[in-house]
Amino acid sequence: MLANLGRAFLQIGEGVAGLEALSRAVESRPDAAALWRLLGTSLRHTKVVPKGENFRHILMGLFGRGDVNPRDLATAALAFLSHDENTS
């Protein structure tokens, strides 16, 4: 259900809400590879991402997965770092 909610938010242009829902879906089912891949591809070309430690943890997890293309994560990582107070 969270994955569907995330997709719906993304389709209507609510990027942060969509990514938050997809992140919660991954957190609730960390063994579901399809959810990780969906989140990874949803981050491709994004310029906005959720803030906070939970998303940082998910993003780092995505970089560690062999079934997620790290190129899809590049702009999301830059967006996260641009508003992360721990990087300054």
Side-chain angles (χ1 to χ4, degrees):
M1 292 299 174
L2 285 170
N4 290 336
L5 180 63
R7 283 188 203 132
F9 275 130
L10 291 172
Q11 287 177 346
I12 64 169
E14 295 292 329
V16 172
L19 295 172
E20 285 174 344
L22 290 174
S23 294
R24 285 194 316 267
V26 165
E27 287 176 324
S28 70
R29 297 201 42 222
D31 59 325
L35 292 176
W36 286 94
R37 288 190 303 271
L38 174 61
L39 178 57
T41 58
S42 296
L43 289 170
R44 186 183 314 141
H45 307 301
T46 189
K47 294 196 174 30
V48 295
V49 294
K51 295 180 181 182
E53 198 59 35
N54 286 344
F55 187 74
R56 174 195 285 267
H57 177 73
I58 295 290
L59 187 58
M60 295 304 293
L62 284 164
F63 274 106
R65 294 188 61 89
D67 59 346
V68 173
N69 187 339
R71 291 180 186 171
D72 291 345
L73 310 175
T75 56
L78 290 172
F80 185 83
L81 290 172
S82 73
H83 65 69
D84 183 20
E85 52 277 343
N86 293 325
T87 59
S88 31

